[in-house]
Structure formats: structure tokens, C-alpha cells
């Protein structure tokens, strides 16, 4: 069933009756896909969403864009869940044709046309790619008429100039004029900013239904990624509450639920009859918000077996779990809501970080980057033959830039691999990292060893009290190719060291 038809069946009268959708992103591993299927099926059975949305994962181009169709088809055909898939400007015209034909065969009637990340419109669309979402919308209508509900994205509350804001409005208008049925907004944290944006839409003749996007904040790191990457205006009250609790992940989640509930209630009170939740492939926070909004959990399937349990691999399980399956599943379903090691568990549907699913790393402009990283081609053209400095000069510049970023000195505020300042724990090993960099080992990622510190520790803690933090020390760095073999020989002299070497061709050696 098309989303626009579902919306017509729900009146936004503020009485608690509303439609809601749950957005998930394609996981990073096959095991995580299996676990995501279990999670979505469970949430679908318990919460009965009006639709689920499978986004396109960031990076990787057209191949990843097709993941939305593959995973969405599982839910539409095997789980009988109304599913919405993504079409992106990174797809070729043939990609889109195949995706739409396959979606139609599967019974999918909802598509979400988005621009997609890492797309430089100034470079032109080329022979195969689309220059704008409006072109995608036009193609859907050209090929399939009104069979599909076509949703497009809106961006309220962004930190933009007046010219950028107007350009975004005109882009949205073109998408609607091309045939979009609905608008799903990006998440936001200021209801007043959303209201203004919605009024501005209507003033420009954009009158299709708008579904507010709701994102419960789940961690401090994801909040910082939003702040840096999504270009959102964050209300001071929201920012202050998050900053005050940044050392306690559990408290952050509770605050995130409070903020999301407040925005959702305002949307419903102002006549909206649908909400779109960005779940981040997690369950607890979104479910908590919906329960506060009056959505009651349904029974779901009672006889849940070990094979369909959300946790793919388990090393400890109660002996008598079979006699209390509901209790056991309730207690273990949210195990991956909190960190399980530095990067988490690859089998978790939520493995990865926010930037891989919602927003790009927001880097400064080219001019600012050149100033930060001491790139001055005009001066080099005068001082050096051919305009290229000797290798020793270039290496010294790189070392100085890395060390300045590490120490927070000067105007080096970012590196290509990191758009935010280094974490507090890096200060513990700052001298060692600077020594590595001075020796030509350019560190881009690291952590010190921690052995049983309190989970409330101001530097290493990740959550509330009564916990302990353990982590191994490691360092990741760039090294010149001609030095790799010597480095490997030195590493193999120490039996307790483990290493992994990867080159630009993704060829690797490890021990």
C-alpha cells in the first residue's frame, strides 16, 4: 500500500492516533544483516509500524545504493511489512530501472528519492548519474506513473546562509513539481525551526504532506557527529543537557528519549498525523519514545527459538532459558545498545558510527584546508624548481601538521580522517604519538590500554556506575612503502605484538 494512501487514513487530530515509520540502514556485515532481520521483525510484531524504511549506506557508490532494495525486499515479501526503499543519484538510469522493476515484482510501492552523499553536483552528472533528486522523481513517474508513492527529503533547522536556504527550498519545490507525493524531513531538535521551515514550504507552494523526522540521541559521539556533519542548528538547551551528561551513555540515552518525545508530541499536537523515526538500527530508545506517545507493545510471536534470537552468537546463556523465553529475550535484546569494545560487535545491526548512515564528515572549505595543512602552491612555485618542494620539506610539513592537530595547536582543526578534536584519552599517550610521527609513522587512530577503571571515569568511562572499562592499546598509522619490510621485521621480534599491514590495493599481511 502506498504511503500517501496510508496518510489519508490517519487524521492528525492530536488524539494519539498516528502513523509512524521506522528507518534502518544496511548493516556492515552478513551476520549483522541476519540480526537486523530478527530485530526489525520483532519491532514490527510488537509496535506495528505503518512502514519501515531501508536507507542507503554512506560511501561505496552505486553498489551500496542497491542494498536498500535487497534488504527491503526481504521485509516486504517474507515478513509482509510495508517497506520503503531508497533510490539515490549515485545510481545509473539502468540501476533505477532494475530496482523499480524488482520492487514492483516484490510488492513494494514506496520509494524514497535522495541525492546521496559524496556527490559533487559541480562536476556534472555524467553519462549515468543523476544531477538532482528531481530527476529521479521524474524517471519514476515516467516509467511507472502513479504506481509508487515517491517520497523526497526536506531539511529543516539547518545552519545555512540565506542563499543556501533559498536554494534548498527551490530544490524541494522542483522535487514536488516533478511528482513527489510526500516529504520526509531530516531529523531536527528545534520545533520552532521546523515550524518556520514548514511555513516557508507552504509559502512557496509546497503543499504535499510533510512527515517530521525524529532521531533519539543515543550517544555523545553520535551527537557530536550530528553537530559536525548534519549542519543542524542545535538549541543551547539541548546542547547543554547533552554536554552535561557526556560521560554517561545511559543518561545520554534517557535525555535523547526526552528530547525526541517532546518534539514528537509537538508535531502531533500541531496536526501532523505521521512521524518518521531514525532508529540507528537500535531498538530501546525509539521503542521508549513510542510507548510514551501511547503506542502499546503487542504480543508478537510467543514461541521464539534460539535460531531467531537477535543475538547472533552467545557465549553465556541461562540453563533454564527455555522455560522463560520472553523474560530472557527482553533482558538480552538490548545488549548492543552499549559499547562492546572500541568499535562494537560486527554482528550487531548497529555496528558502525553515525557518519556511515546519516551524515558526511563535514570538512572545512578547500581554502581553509590548504591554510591549515600549509599548502601554498604559489609560494612553492617561486621557491622550488617545478613548484614541488623536496621530499624532506614535504615530510616535515606533514609531521608538523599531524603534531599540531594532535596537540590542538595553531589553526589545524581537522585532518582528512577526523573533523573533530582528538579525544581526551589521547592526551595520555600524546608524547608517544608525537615521537612516532616525528619518526615518520603518521598516527591517525589510537587508544591507550585500560585495565579495570571505573565506568564513570572522566576520560575512559562510557556509562553509568557499577561498571569497569578494559581495553587493549593499539595504534594505526601511515608509513612509507619502502619502510614496511623493516617495520615488519622489528614487529616480529616481539611475540606479544600483533599487527596488520594494508596497502592501497587492500593487500594485507598480519600476524
Amino acid at each position: 500500500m502506498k504511503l500517501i494512501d496510508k496518510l489519508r487514513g490517519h487524521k492528525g487530530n492530536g488524539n494519539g492516533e498516528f502513523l509512524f515509520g521506522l528507518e534502518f540502514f544496511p548493516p556492515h556485515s552478513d551476520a549483522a544483516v541476519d540480526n537486523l532481520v530478527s530485530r526489525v521483525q520483532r519491532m514490527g510484531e510488537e509496535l506495528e509500524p505503518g512502514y519501515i524504511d531501508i536507507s542507503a549506506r554512506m560511501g561505496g557508490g552505486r553498489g551500496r545504493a542497491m542494498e536498500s532494495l535487497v534488504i527491503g525486499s526481504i521485509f516486504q515479501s517474507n515478513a509482509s511489512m510495508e517497506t520503503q526503499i531508497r533510490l539515490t543519484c549515485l545510481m545509473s538510469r539502468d540501476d533505477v530501472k532494475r530496482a523499480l522493476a524488482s520492487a514492483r515484482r516484490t510488492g513494494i510501492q514506496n520509494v524514497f528519492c535522495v541525492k546521496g552523499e559524496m556527490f559533487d553536483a559541480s562536476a556534472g552528472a555524467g553519462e549515468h548519474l543523476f544531477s538532482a533528486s528531481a530527476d529521479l522523481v521524474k524517471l519514476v513517474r515516467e516509467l511507472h506513473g502513479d504506481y509508487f508513492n515517491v517520497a523526497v527529503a526536506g531539511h529543516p533547522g539547518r545552519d545555512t546562509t540565506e542563499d543556501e536556504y533559498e536554494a534548498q527550498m527551490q530544490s524541494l519545490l522542483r522535487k514536488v513539481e516533478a511528482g513527489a507525493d510526500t516529504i520526509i524531513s531530516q531529523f531536527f531538535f528545534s520545533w520552532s525551526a521546523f515550524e518556520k521551515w514548514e511555513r516557508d514550504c507552504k509559502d512557496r507552494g509546497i503543499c504535499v504532506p510533510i512527515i517530521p523526522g525524529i532521531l533519539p540521541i543515543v550517544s555523545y559521539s553520535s551527537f557530536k557527529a550530528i553537530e559536525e556533519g548534519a549542519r543542524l542548528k542545535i538549541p543551547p538547551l539541548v546542547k547543554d543537557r547533552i554536554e552535561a551528561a557526556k560521560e554517561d551513555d545511559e543518561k545520554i540515552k534517557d535525555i535523547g528519549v526526552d528530547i525526541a518525545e517532546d518534539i514528537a508530541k509537538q508535531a502531533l499536537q500541531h496536526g501532523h498525523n505521521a512521524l518518521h523515526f531514525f532508529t540507528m538500527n537500535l531498538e530501546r530508545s525509539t521503542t521508549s519514545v513510542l510507548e510514551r506517545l501511547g503506542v502499546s507493545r503487542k504480543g508478537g510471536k510467543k514461541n521464539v527459538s534460539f535460531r531467531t534470537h537477535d543475538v547472533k552468537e552467545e557465549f553465556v546463556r541461562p540453563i533454564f532459558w527455555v522455560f522463560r523465553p520472553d523474560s530472557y529475550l527482553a533482558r538480552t535484546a538490548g545488549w548492543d545498545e552499549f559499547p562492546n569494545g572500541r568499535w562494537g560487535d560486527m554482528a550487531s545491526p548497529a555496528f558502525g558510527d553515525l557518519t556511515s548512515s546519516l551524515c558526511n564528515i563535514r570538512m572545512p572549505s578547500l581554502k581553509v584546508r590548504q591554510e591549515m595543512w600549509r599548502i601554498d602552491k604559489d609560494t612553492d612555485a617561486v621557491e622550488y624548481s617545478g613548484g614541488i618542494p623536496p621530499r624532506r620539506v614535504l615530510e616535515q610539513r606533514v609531521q608538523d601538521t599531524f603534531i599540531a592537530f594532535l596537540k590542538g595547536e595553531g589553526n589545524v582543526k581537522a585532518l582528512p580522517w577526523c573533523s573533530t578534536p582528538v579525544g581526551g584519552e589521547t592526551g595520555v599517550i600524546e608524547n608517544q604519538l608525537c615521537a612516532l610521527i616525528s619518526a615518520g609513522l603518521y598516527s591517525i587512530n589510537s587508544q591507550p590500554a585500560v585495565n579495570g577503571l571505573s565506568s564513570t571515569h572522566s576520560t575512559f568511562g562510557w556509562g553509568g556506575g557499577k561498571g569497569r572499562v578494559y581495553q587493549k592499546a593499539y595504534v594505526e598509522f601511515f608509513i612509507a612503502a619502502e619502510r614496511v619490510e623493516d617495520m615488519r621485521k622489528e614487529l616480529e621480534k616481539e611475540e606479544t605484538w600483533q599487527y596488520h599491514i594494508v596497502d592501497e590495493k587492500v593487500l594485507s599481511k598480519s600476524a
Side-chain angles (χ1 to χ4, degrees), residues 305-318:
S305 70
F306 178 74
R307 291 180 60 191
T308 59
H309 177 41
D310 185 61
V311 181
K312 186 70 176 178
E313 295 182 9
E314 296 175 279
F315 301 98
V316 179
R317 168 163 261 186

mmCIF file with all atom_site columns, all heavy atoms in Angstrom, residues 305-318:
data_model
loop_
_atom_site.group_PDB
_atom_site.id
_atom_site.type_symbol
_atom_site.label_atom_id
_atom_site.label_alt_id
_atom_site.label_comp_id
_atom_site.label_asym_id
_atom_site.label_entity_id
_atom_site.label_seq_id
_atom_site.pdbx_PDB_ins_code
_atom_site.Cartn_x
_atom_site.Cartn_y
_atom_site.Cartn_z
_atom_site.occupancy
_atom_site.B_iso_or_equiv
_atom_site.pdbx_formal_charge
_atom_site.auth_seq_id
_atom_site.auth_comp_id
_atom_site.auth_asym_id
_atom_site.auth_atom_id
_atom_site.pdbx_PDB_model_num
ATOM 1   N N   . SER A 1 305 ? 12.487 -19.150 19.071 1.00 0.00 ? 305 SER A N   1
ATOM 2   C CA  . SER A 1 305 ? 13.526 -20.161 19.231 1.00 0.00 ? 305 SER A CA  1
ATOM 3   C C   . SER A 1 305 ? 14.900 -19.526 19.283 1.00 0.00 ? 305 SER A C   1
ATOM 4   O O   . SER A 1 305 ? 15.073 -18.352 18.998 1.00 0.00 ? 305 SER A O   1
ATOM 5   C CB  . SER A 1 305 ? 13.466 -21.151 18.062 1.00 0.00 ? 305 SER A CB  1
ATOM 6   O OG  . SER A 1 305 ? 13.892 -20.506 16.877 1.00 0.00 ? 305 SER A OG  1
ATOM 7   N N   . PHE A 1 306 ? 15.861 -20.323 19.627 1.00 0.00 ? 306 PHE A N   1
ATOM 8   C CA  . PHE A 1 306 ? 17.248 -19.845 19.690 1.00 0.00 ? 306 PHE A CA  1
ATOM 9   C C   . PHE A 1 306 ? 17.708 -19.322 18.340 1.00 0.00 ? 306 PHE A C   1
ATOM 10  O O   . PHE A 1 306 ? 18.405 -18.341 18.243 1.00 0.00 ? 306 PHE A O   1
ATOM 11  C CB  . PHE A 1 306 ? 18.159 -20.983 20.151 1.00 0.00 ? 306 PHE A CB  1
ATOM 12  C CG  . PHE A 1 306 ? 19.608 -20.606 20.192 1.00 0.00 ? 306 PHE A CG  1
ATOM 13  C CD1 . PHE A 1 306 ? 20.085 -19.779 21.187 1.00 0.00 ? 306 PHE A CD1 1
ATOM 14  C CD2 . PHE A 1 306 ? 20.488 -21.060 19.221 1.00 0.00 ? 306 PHE A CD2 1
ATOM 15  C CE1 . PHE A 1 306 ? 21.431 -19.427 21.235 1.00 0.00 ? 306 PHE A CE1 1
ATOM 16  C CE2 . PHE A 1 306 ? 21.827 -20.703 19.262 1.00 0.00 ? 306 PHE A CE2 1
ATOM 17  C CZ  . PHE A 1 306 ? 22.295 -19.888 20.272 1.00 0.00 ? 306 PHE A CZ  1
ATOM 18  N N   . ARG A 1 307 ? 17.270 -19.958 17.252 1.00 0.00 ? 307 ARG A N   1
ATOM 19  C CA  . ARG A 1 307 ? 17.760 -19.599 15.922 1.00 0.00 ? 307 ARG A CA  1
ATOM 20  C C   . ARG A 1 307 ? 17.306 -18.215 15.492 1.00 0.00 ? 307 ARG A C   1
ATOM 21  O O   . ARG A 1 307 ? 17.972 -17.563 14.707 1.00 0.00 ? 307 ARG A O   1
ATOM 22  C CB  . ARG A 1 307 ? 17.289 -20.624 14.892 1.00 0.00 ? 307 ARG A CB  1
ATOM 23  C CG  . ARG A 1 307 ? 17.943 -21.982 15.071 1.00 0.00 ? 307 ARG A CG  1
ATOM 24  C CD  . ARG A 1 307 ? 17.434 -22.939 14.028 1.00 0.00 ? 307 ARG A CD  1
ATOM 25  N NE  . ARG A 1 307 ? 17.738 -22.466 12.685 1.00 0.00 ? 307 ARG A NE  1
ATOM 26  C CZ  . ARG A 1 307 ? 17.222 -23.008 11.596 1.00 0.00 ? 307 ARG A CZ  1
ATOM 27  N NH1 . ARG A 1 307 ? 16.360 -24.009 11.696 1.00 0.00 ? 307 ARG A NH1 1
ATOM 28  N NH2 . ARG A 1 307 ? 17.544 -22.545 10.406 1.00 0.00 ? 307 ARG A NH2 1
ATOM 29  N N   . THR A 1 308 ? 16.172 -17.740 15.968 1.00 0.00 ? 308 THR A N   1
ATOM 30  C CA  . THR A 1 308 ? 15.692 -16.427 15.539 1.00 0.00 ? 308 THR A CA  1
ATOM 31  C C   . THR A 1 308 ? 15.962 -15.358 16.582 1.00 0.00 ? 308 THR A C   1
ATOM 32  O O   . THR A 1 308 ? 15.494 -14.248 16.463 1.00 0.00 ? 308 THR A O   1
ATOM 33  C CB  . THR A 1 308 ? 14.179 -16.456 15.269 1.00 0.00 ? 308 THR A CB  1
ATOM 34  O OG1 . THR A 1 308 ? 13.502 -16.857 16.476 1.00 0.00 ? 308 THR A OG1 1
ATOM 35  C CG2 . THR A 1 308 ? 13.852 -17.426 14.154 1.00 0.00 ? 308 THR A CG2 1
ATOM 36  N N   . HIS A 1 309 ? 16.732 -15.692 17.617 1.00 0.00 ? 309 HIS A N   1
ATOM 37  C CA  . HIS A 1 309 ? 17.068 -14.696 18.632 1.00 0.00 ? 309 HIS A CA  1
ATOM 38  C C   . HIS A 1 309 ? 17.957 -13.609 18.019 1.00 0.00 ? 309 HIS A C   1
ATOM 39  O O   . HIS A 1 309 ? 18.779 -13.881 17.152 1.00 0.00 ? 309 HIS A O   1
ATOM 40  C CB  . HIS A 1 309 ? 17.774 -15.388 19.794 1.00 0.00 ? 309 HIS A CB  1
ATOM 41  C CG  . HIS A 1 309 ? 18.229 -14.447 20.865 1.00 0.00 ? 309 HIS A CG  1
ATOM 42  N ND1 . HIS A 1 309 ? 17.465 -13.397 21.290 1.00 0.00 ? 309 HIS A ND1 1
ATOM 43  C CD2 . HIS A 1 309 ? 19.375 -14.429 21.588 1.00 0.00 ? 309 HIS A CD2 1
ATOM 44  C CE1 . HIS A 1 309 ? 18.125 -12.745 22.237 1.00 0.00 ? 309 HIS A CE1 1
ATOM 45  N NE2 . HIS A 1 309 ? 19.278 -13.352 22.422 1.00 0.00 ? 309 HIS A NE2 1
ATOM 46  N N   . ASP A 1 310 ? 17.854 -12.404 18.505 1.00 0.00 ? 310 ASP A N   1
ATOM 47  C CA  . ASP A 1 310 ? 18.537 -11.260 17.916 1.00 0.00 ? 310 ASP A CA  1
ATOM 48  C C   . ASP A 1 310 ? 20.057 -11.368 18.015 1.00 0.00 ? 310 ASP A C   1
ATOM 49  O O   . ASP A 1 310 ? 20.784 -10.896 17.163 1.00 0.00 ? 310 ASP A O   1
ATOM 50  C CB  . ASP A 1 310 ? 18.062 -9.971  18.612 1.00 0.00 ? 310 ASP A CB  1
ATOM 51  C CG  . ASP A 1 310 ? 18.644 -8.729  17.982 1.00 0.00 ? 310 ASP A CG  1
ATOM 52  O OD1 . ASP A 1 310 ? 18.382 -8.500  16.793 1.00 0.00 ? 310 ASP A OD1 1
ATOM 53  O OD2 . ASP A 1 310 ? 19.362 -8.001  18.679 1.00 0.00 ? 310 ASP A OD2 1
ATOM 54  N N   . VAL A 1 311 ? 20.562 -11.962 19.083 1.00 0.00 ? 311 VAL A N   1
ATOM 55  C CA  . VAL A 1 311 ? 21.997 -12.054 19.266 1.00 0.00 ? 311 VAL A CA  1
ATOM 56  C C   . VAL A 1 311 ? 22.534 -13.233 18.463 1.00 0.00 ? 311 VAL A C   1
ATOM 57  O O   . VAL A 1 311 ? 22.160 -14.363 18.705 1.00 0.00 ? 311 VAL A O   1
ATOM 58  C CB  . VAL A 1 311 ? 22.348 -12.223 20.762 1.00 0.00 ? 311 VAL A CB  1
ATOM 59  C CG1 . VAL A 1 311 ? 23.852 -12.290 20.936 1.00 0.00 ? 311 VAL A CG1 1
ATOM 60  C CG2 . VAL A 1 311 ? 21.753 -11.067 21.564 1.00 0.00 ? 311 VAL A CG2 1
ATOM 61  N N   . LYS A 1 312 ? 23.379 -12.961 17.473 1.00 0.00 ? 312 LYS A N   1
ATOM 62  C CA  . LYS A 1 312 ? 23.832 -14.000 16.551 1.00 0.00 ? 312 LYS A CA  1
ATOM 63  C C   . LYS A 1 312 ? 24.695 -15.041 17.247 1.00 0.00 ? 312 LYS A C   1
ATOM 64  O O   . LYS A 1 312 ? 24.576 -16.235 17.013 1.00 0.00 ? 312 LYS A O   1
ATOM 65  C CB  . LYS A 1 312 ? 24.625 -13.342 15.415 1.00 0.00 ? 312 LYS A CB  1
ATOM 66  C CG  . LYS A 1 312 ? 25.016 -14.317 14.314 1.00 0.00 ? 312 LYS A CG  1
ATOM 67  C CD  . LYS A 1 312 ? 23.816 -14.768 13.532 1.00 0.00 ? 312 LYS A CD  1
ATOM 68  C CE  . LYS A 1 312 ? 24.192 -15.656 12.368 1.00 0.00 ? 312 LYS A CE  1
ATOM 69  N NZ  . LYS A 1 312 ? 23.048 -16.147 11.634 1.00 0.00 ? 312 LYS A NZ  1
ATOM 70  N N   . GLU A 1 313 ? 25.629 -14.592 18.080 1.00 0.00 ? 313 GLU A N   1
ATOM 71  C CA  . GLU A 1 313 ? 26.494 -15.517 18.782 1.00 0.00 ? 313 GLU A CA  1
ATOM 72  C C   . GLU A 1 313 ? 26.452 -15.201 20.270 1.00 0.00 ? 313 GLU A C   1
ATOM 73  O O   . GLU A 1 313 ? 26.506 -14.046 20.669 1.00 0.00 ? 313 GLU A O   1
ATOM 74  C CB  . GLU A 1 313 ? 27.936 -15.387 18.287 1.00 0.00 ? 313 GLU A CB  1
ATOM 75  C CG  . GLU A 1 313 ? 28.102 -15.794 16.831 1.00 0.00 ? 313 GLU A CG  1
ATOM 76  C CD  . GLU A 1 313 ? 29.552 -15.707 16.399 1.00 0.00 ? 313 GLU A CD  1
ATOM 77  O OE1 . GLU A 1 313 ? 30.409 -15.510 17.279 1.00 0.00 ? 313 GLU A OE1 1
ATOM 78  O OE2 . GLU A 1 313 ? 29.807 -15.821 15.202 1.00 0.00 ? 313 GLU A OE2 1
ATOM 79  N N   . GLU A 1 314 ? 26.359 -16.241 21.101 1.00 0.00 ? 314 GLU A N   1
ATOM 80  C CA  . GLU A 1 314 ? 26.332 -16.052 22.542 1.00 0.00 ? 314 GLU A CA  1
ATOM 81  C C   . GLU A 1 314 ? 27.268 -17.051 23.193 1.00 0.00 ? 314 GLU A C   1
ATOM 82  O O   . GLU A 1 314 ? 27.372 -18.196 22.776 1.00 0.00 ? 314 GLU A O   1
ATOM 83  C CB  . GLU A 1 314 ? 24.910 -16.252 23.086 1.00 0.00 ? 314 GLU A CB  1
ATOM 84  C CG  . GLU A 1 314 ? 23.928 -15.219 22.559 1.00 0.00 ? 314 GLU A CG  1
ATOM 85  C CD  . GLU A 1 314 ? 22.533 -15.533 23.028 1.00 0.00 ? 314 GLU A CD  1
ATOM 86  O OE1 . GLU A 1 314 ? 21.893 -16.395 22.419 1.00 0.00 ? 314 GLU A OE1 1
ATOM 87  O OE2 . GLU A 1 314 ? 22.098 -14.943 24.017 1.00 0.00 ? 314 GLU A OE2 1
ATOM 88  N N   . PHE A 1 315 ? 27.944 -16.581 24.219 1.00 0.00 ? 315 PHE A N   1
ATOM 89  C CA  . PHE A 1 315 ? 28.866 -17.437 24.933 1.00 0.00 ? 315 PHE A CA  1
ATOM 90  C C   . PHE A 1 315 ? 28.301 -17.845 26.300 1.00 0.00 ? 315 PHE A C   1
ATOM 91  O O   . PHE A 1 315 ? 28.806 -18.768 26.916 1.00 0.00 ? 315 PHE A O   1
ATOM 92  C CB  . PHE A 1 315 ? 30.206 -16.714 25.111 1.00 0.00 ? 315 PHE A CB  1
ATOM 93  C CG  . PHE A 1 315 ? 30.824 -16.337 23.806 1.00 0.00 ? 315 PHE A CG  1
ATOM 94  C CD1 . PHE A 1 315 ? 30.682 -15.058 23.297 1.00 0.00 ? 315 PHE A CD1 1
ATOM 95  C CD2 . PHE A 1 315 ? 31.526 -17.265 23.049 1.00 0.00 ? 315 PHE A CD2 1
ATOM 96  C CE1 . PHE A 1 315 ? 31.249 -14.716 22.086 1.00 0.00 ? 315 PHE A CE1 1
ATOM 97  C CE2 . PHE A 1 315 ? 32.095 -16.929 21.836 1.00 0.00 ? 315 PHE A CE2 1
ATOM 98  C CZ  . PHE A 1 315 ? 31.952 -15.651 21.351 1.00 0.00 ? 315 PHE A CZ  1
ATOM 99  N N   . VAL A 1 316 ? 27.287 -17.154 26.784 1.00 0.00 ? 316 VAL A N   1
ATOM 100 C CA  . VAL A 1 316 ? 26.664 -17.474 28.059 1.00 0.00 ? 316 VAL A CA  1
ATOM 101 C C   . VAL A 1 316 ? 25.162 -17.415 27.879 1.00 0.00 ? 316 VAL A C   1
ATOM 102 O O   . VAL A 1 316 ? 24.625 -16.454 27.343 1.00 0.00 ? 316 VAL A O   1
ATOM 103 C CB  . VAL A 1 316 ? 27.080 -16.475 29.169 1.00 0.00 ? 316 VAL A CB  1
ATOM 104 C CG1 . VAL A 1 316 ? 26.377 -16.836 30.466 1.00 0.00 ? 316 VAL A CG1 1
ATOM 105 C CG2 . VAL A 1 316 ? 28.589 -16.494 29.355 1.00 0.00 ? 316 VAL A CG2 1
ATOM 106 N N   . ARG A 1 317 ? 24.476 -18.437 28.304 1.00 0.00 ? 317 ARG A N   1
ATOM 107 C CA  . ARG A 1 317 ? 23.023 -18.435 28.238 1.00 0.00 ? 317 ARG A CA  1
ATOM 108 C C   . ARG A 1 317 ? 22.496 -19.212 29.433 1.00 0.00 ? 317 ARG A C   1
ATOM 109 O O   . ARG A 1 317 ? 23.024 -20.271 29.773 1.00 0.00 ? 317 ARG A O   1
ATOM 110 C CB  . ARG A 1 317 ? 22.534 -19.084 26.937 1.00 0.00 ? 317 ARG A CB  1
ATOM 111 C CG  . ARG A 1 317 ? 21.048 -19.368 26.928 1.00 0.00 ? 317 ARG A CG  1
ATOM 112 C CD  . ARG A 1 317 ? 20.522 -19.626 25.524 1.00 0.00 ? 317 ARG A CD  1
ATOM 113 N NE  . ARG A 1 317 ? 19.918 -18.421 25.009 1.00 0.00 ? 317 ARG A NE  1
ATOM 114 C CZ  . ARG A 1 317 ? 19.279 -18.364 23.858 1.00 0.00 ? 317 ARG A CZ  1
ATOM 115 N NH1 . ARG A 1 317 ? 19.178 -19.411 23.088 1.00 0.00 ? 317 ARG A NH1 1
ATOM 116 N NH2 . ARG A 1 317 ? 18.737 -17.236 23.464 1.00 0.00 ? 317 ARG A NH2 1
ATOM 117 N N   . PRO A 1 318 ? 21.471 -18.689 30.132 1.00 0.00 ? 318 PRO A N   1
ATOM 118 C CA  . PRO A 1 318 ? 20.932 -19.385 31.294 1.00 0.00 ? 318 PRO A CA  1
ATOM 119 C C   . PRO A 1 318 ? 20.485 -20.803 30.949 1.00 0.00 ? 318 PRO A C   1
ATOM 120 O O   . PRO A 1 318 ? 19.914 -21.052 29.890 1.00 0.00 ? 318 PRO A O   1
ATOM 121 C CB  . PRO A 1 318 ? 19.738 -18.514 31.692 1.00 0.00 ? 318 PRO A CB  1
ATOM 122 C CG  . PRO A 1 318 ? 20.041 -17.176 31.122 1.00 0.00 ? 318 PRO A CG  1
ATOM 123 C CD  . PRO A 1 318 ? 20.788 -17.433 29.857 1.00 0.00 ? 318 PRO A CD  1
#
